[in-house]
Amino acid sequence: MMLAPFKTPIYVTRPVFPDLADYTDQLRNIWESKQLTNNGSQHKKLETELAAYLGASHLKLFNNGTLALLLGLKALGLKGEVITTPFTFPATVQCLDWNQLTPVFCDIDPITLNIDADKIESLITEQTTAILAVHVFGNPCEVEKIQRIADKHNLRVIYDGAHVFGTEINGKPINSFGDMTMYSFHATKLFNTVEGGALAFKDAQMEQQLELLKNFGLLNAEQVVLSGLNAKMNELQAAMGIEVLKVVEVERRKRHELKKTYETHLAGIPGIRIITNLEGPASSYQYFVIEIDDSLYGRTRDELFNELAKFNIFPRKYFYPLCSDFSWYSHLESARPENLPFSRKLVHQVLSMPFYGELGTDAAEKICEIIRELHVEQKELLNFRK
Ligand SMILES: *Cc1c(COP(=O)(O)O)cnc(C)c1O
């Protein structure tokens, strides 16, 4: 092999850091305020700024995306079955478990990797109360179609929007679709508050319910009106968010250049398809994901993954394994492999590539050259197999 490995490991992402001096100024404000948590001034400021940035009519902050989703589902008072996707991060379905809701797994669309809206209706039963969909890797779900199904069957629609920070569908904020959208501000996401999350929601009446749920059900110092949790974002997290929000556009622009580089240099490699092909306001630029068709590329995703490691390149097999394969779902009819053919196939074909501003276009170009080198010609394969 002519190409040399990278000198230092290249990981799938690196957190976006704000300017340290700016964050230090924020810390000074917090020290002077003498308030570290419980809806302090940083929290209020970030909540207002994010609602504006994301175009959300109502928005609440949480200490992570998982608790935002968990308590959002709780606030909707759902019961019974929720139709969802097996191709997601474990948190999505675990939030159903913690609400005593039964997931009903629906297969995915092989192009977008999102829940296949055309397969939802056949899974609806008397027990179904909601659809929990994920805008996987930033590709938006078929929001209109999903809403039509929900309206027809009187179901709630909840989106796991952990991958769609700041994105739009035909000029409309993505959170304007469905009853609520969860955002994650984990360090690995485009926008981070170290750990953190938010819920954008339609119904103003939910505001108080969510406020109670994230703060032990405390109505005031002496009245506890429901069984809540502690899911509050603290002042240091909020201050981080205020500063990261200032640099997020710069990061998006850098990633746009990276994406162009990847696209140019992956072009023409047999068996490589780019899954994240949106750009501009439609894209969160959170991931750059490829699909590897081993019959054309000459190696499987796992083989490519192992070869890349030799070059000090460490992409991630998001999302692997399928959530429907978790042991505690083995009794579910909808989790059976034969009911999820595309999910089963694609879970072995998808690779999330290194994608963060600091990576730089030279490194992205080199990664593409390595992927091109590792491609095995059909001729060679035939000789090999003889
Ligand atoms: C990151 C992520 C979550 C979890 O968010 P946290 O803020 O880490 O709790 C949930 N769903 C998806 C699809 C994610 O990528």
Side-chain angles (χ1 to χ4, degrees):
M1 195 68 56
M2 298 174 301
L3 291 156
F6 282 92
K7 291 205 173 62
T8 52
I10 306 284
Y11 297 110
V12 70
T13 195
R14 246 187 220 175
V16 176
F17 281 89
D19 185 82
L20 182 57
D22 291 344
Y23 188 59
T24 311
D25 287 342
Q26 293 282 4
L27 290 180
R28 202 165 285 117
N29 293 336
I30 295 172
W31 260 241
E32 279 163 14
S33 78
K34 310 284 179 212
Q35 185 170 7
L36 285 174
T37 187
N38 286 28
N39 207 16
S41 57
Q42 307 287 327
H43 185 288
K44 289 199 185 95
K45 183 163 189 253
L46 181 63
E47 205 162 70
T48 308
E49 285 185 3
L50 277 180
Y53 188 93
L54 299 171
S57 45
H58 304 283
L59 182 123
K60 288 239 165 275
L61 298 178
F62 290 82
N63 57 356
N64 60 58
T66 304
L67 283 174
L69 180 58
L70 194 156
L71 295 176
L73 293 166
K74 180 88 179 169
L76 289 171
L78 301 175
K79 298 221 166 8
E81 297 175 357
V82 174
I83 297 173
T84 192
T85 172
F87 190 74
T88 183
F89 190 67
T92 315
V93 294
Q94 288 172 354
C95 286
L96 296 174
D97 295 345
W98 281 79
N99 276 290
Q100 274 81 50
L101 294 161
T102 306
V104 174
F105 294 107
C106 178
D107 204 11
I108 59 171
D109 176 300
I111 303 299
T112 64
L113 311 186
N114 288 328
I115 192 166
D116 184 345
D118 291 328
K119 297 203 174 117
I120 291 175
E121 234 174 340
S122 67
L123 297 168
I124 295 174
T125 72
E126 297 270 278
Q127 274 72 52
T128 311
T129 54
I131 300 164
L132 170 55
V134 183
H135 301 296
V136 176
F137 303 138
N139 284 330
C141 293
E142 288 186 275
V143 290
E144 310 275 4
K145 207 180 263 180
I146 290 173
Q147 195 58 53
R148 273 198 300 277
I149 297 166
D151 290 344
K152 184 169 157 200
H153 298 273
N154 196 23
L155 308 176
R156 298 289 199 157
V157 179
I158 304 103
Y159 286 106
D160 179 332
H163 301 178
V164 287
F165 186 81
T167 75
E168 297 177 348
I169 301 177
N170 300 328
K172 279 193 185 167
I174 199 159
N175 64 56
S176 61
F177 301 92
D179 293 287
M180 53 173 59
T181 299
M182 172 273 261
Y183 291 98
S184 165
F185 308 148
H186 182 259
T188 57
K189 313 296 195 212
L190 173 76
F191 168 81
N192 85 85
T193 59
V194 186
E195 294 261 6
L199 261 189
F201 50 98
K202 282 243 179 74
D203 183 0
Q205 308 239 299
M206 292 216 0
E207 192 119 8
Q208 199 201 7
Q209 188 76 354
L210 288 168
E211 201 55 58
L212 289 169
L213 282 167
K214 71 183 224 187
N215 191 27
F216 314 101
L218 283 166
L219 187 61
N220 53 48
E222 300 193 359
Q223 276 180 292
V224 185
V225 296
L226 55 76
S227 187
L229 279 174
N230 180 0
K232 304 186 299 290
M233 179 182 281
N234 68 48
E235 289 291 277
L236 277 77
Q237 287 172 292
M240 184 73 172
I242 291 166
E243 290 306 320
V244 173
L245 198 55
K246 292 180 188 165
V247 297
V248 94
E249 276 312 312
V250 175
E251 177 67 15
R252 280 170 55 84
R253 277 200 291 277
K254 286 186 191 161
R255 292 188 189 197
H256 176 80
E257 291 310 312
L258 276 183
K259 178 177 178 292
K260 291 279 142 208
T261 304
Y262 269 127
E263 284 168 351
T264 306
H265 295 274
L266 289 175
I269 305 179
I272 302 287
R273 178 174 80 89
I274 296 163
I275 287 172
T276 42
N277 46 25
L278 295 170
E279 52 184 57
S283 175
S284 64
Y285 295 99
Q286 189 161 296
Y287 300 102
F288 186 87
V289 184
I290 59 173
E291 177 194 317
I292 297 103
D293 178 345
D294 62 322
S295 69
L296 295 170
Y297 184 67
R299 291 179 200 267
T300 64
R301 185 273 310 270
D302 288 349
E303 286 165 354
L304 174 60
F305 179 86
N306 293 337
E307 288 301 319
L308 288 175
K310 297 178 189 165
F311 288 90
N312 235 350
I313 304 165
F314 301 95
R316 286 290 299 266
K317 299 177 192 178
Y318 291 141
F319 295 105
Y320 183 86
L322 286 181
C323 294
S324 49
D325 284 341
F326 296 164
S327 61
W328 59 98
Y329 297 138
S330 60
H331 65 291
L332 294 178
E333 161 91 21
S334 71
R336 288 214 204 135
E338 64 269 29
N339 291 328
L340 304 166
F342 287 123
S343 308
R344 296 219 72 79
K345 180 168 177 278
L346 285 148
V347 76
H348 296 291
Q349 296 190 316
V350 171
L351 207 51
S352 196
M353 301 307 295
F355 196 54
Y356 51 92
E358 273 185 30
L359 177 67
T361 51
D362 286 353
E365 198 176 322
K366 183 171 162 183
I367 292 168
C368 296
E369 281 170 33
I370 291 168
I371 294 174
R372 191 180 293 276
E373 283 270 329
L374 289 168
H375 156 59
V376 181
E377 291 288 345
Q378 290 303 80
K379 272 203 310 273
E380 298 171 38
L381 264 186
L382 287 176
N383 289 336
F384 179 73
R385 280 175 185 160
K386 258 187 223 157

